[in-house]
Amino acid sequence: MRKFNAVISILILGLFVIHAIAGSFQLSSVINGGSTVMKILSKTMVMLVVIHMVIGTKLTFDSIAVQKKTRTAYFKENRLFWLRRISGFAVMLFLVFHVIIFVGNYDSGVYRLNLFGEMQLVSQILFVLSLLMHIIANIKPLMMALGAVKYKNFMIDIMVVLSVILMFAAVAFILYYLRWLF
């Protein structure tokens, strides 16, 4: 199940990169919004995230059951384990806000988004930060689960690329917010 979850995670990461770049261009008005490709991409990614969440939840409950059975929680020693679970929960929470904020509607053939105010901006920047934290906490076990032997340099490259993409997304959120103001 862990290997399957690792493959799902890679698919999510790939779709996320495409979604973040395309969505950032949409928010920056470089490309038109509401495309069919973005909808399919988003729905596929949400489906994979739900599968990832279900597997992660089951693995978490399995770990908690073992801790209860052996009476060895070792919370301090398992901080990284809990960081992965808590950051995943934060990502899920902010993902719900993301979907609510960016589900638009068609008005006379024109795609319109909901209001994007201060709270929406803050929630989306927190989404980007929680996503970055979740990815950073989980990239090493993901590489190990996929059998990567020499993953340290590759891991740093992945983190640099993802950081740039997430910063690009945060800037796009801010630009989009500023457009709502003026």
Side-chain angles (χ1 to χ4, degrees), residues 95-118:
L95 178 65
V96 170
F97 292 145
H98 184 76
V99 170
I100 290 169
I101 290 169
F102 288 106
V103 170
N105 53 38
Y106 282 93
D107 182 25
S108 304
V110 177
Y111 185 73
R112 304 224 186 267
L113 289 173
N114 300 318
L115 173 68
F116 196 82
E118 293 89 6

Side-chain angles (χ1 to χ4, degrees), residues 4-173:
F4 179 68
N5 200 27
V7 171
I8 294 289
S9 298
I10 290 295
L11 291 172
I12 291 169
L13 263 173
L15 290 174
F16 164 73
V17 167
I18 296 167
H19 179 78
I21 292 170
S24 296
F25 281 130
Q26 282 183 340
L27 291 177
S28 304
S29 295
V30 174
I31 60 174
N32 259 343
S35 72
T36 304
V37 174
M38 280 296 283
K39 287 179 189 176
I40 292 169
L41 177 69
S42 299
K43 289 178 182 181
T44 303
M45 193 166 36
V46 167
M47 179 190 66
L48 291 173
V49 166
V50 168
I51 293 168
H52 178 69
M53 182 185 71
V54 168
I55 292 171
T57 302
K58 185 202 178 315
L59 293 173
T60 301
F61 283 128
D62 290 349
S63 295
I64 291 171
V66 169
Q67 288 176 3
K68 283 185 178 184
K69 185 177 179 181
T70 61
R71 297 177 193 234
T72 55
Y74 299 118
F75 183 78
K76 191 173 182 180
E77 290 79 6
N78 290 324
R79 287 179 298 194
L80 188 56
F81 170 83
W82 289 109
L83 171 66
R84 291 175 179 143
R85 277 28 183 208
I86 293 167
S87 66
F89 181 76
V91 168
M92 298 291 25
L93 180 68
F94 290 119
L95 178 65
V96 170
F97 292 145
H98 184 76
V99 170
I100 290 169
I101 290 169
F102 288 106
V103 170
N105 53 38
Y106 282 93
D107 182 25
S108 304
V110 177
Y111 185 73
R112 304 224 186 267
L113 289 173
N114 300 318
L115 173 68
F116 196 82
E118 293 89 6
M119 293 305 294
Q120 289 84 354
L121 176 63
V122 168
S123 74
Q124 295 314 288
I125 290 176
L126 288 173
F127 179 45
V128 166
L129 292 174
S130 65
L131 195 54
L132 184 61
M133 183 177 297
H134 188 66
I135 292 170
I136 287 171
N138 287 290
I139 198 73
K140 182 178 178 180
L142 176 62
M143 293 285 105
M144 289 169 50
L146 294 173
V149 178
K150 297 181 180 181
Y151 57 85
K152 288 191 181 193
N153 288 337
F154 185 62
M155 192 168 71
I156 292 169
D157 292 344
I158 290 172
M159 295 315 303
V160 168
V161 168
L162 286 174
S163 295
V164 168
I165 290 169
L166 288 169
M167 188 173 74
F168 181 57
V171 168
F173 287 137

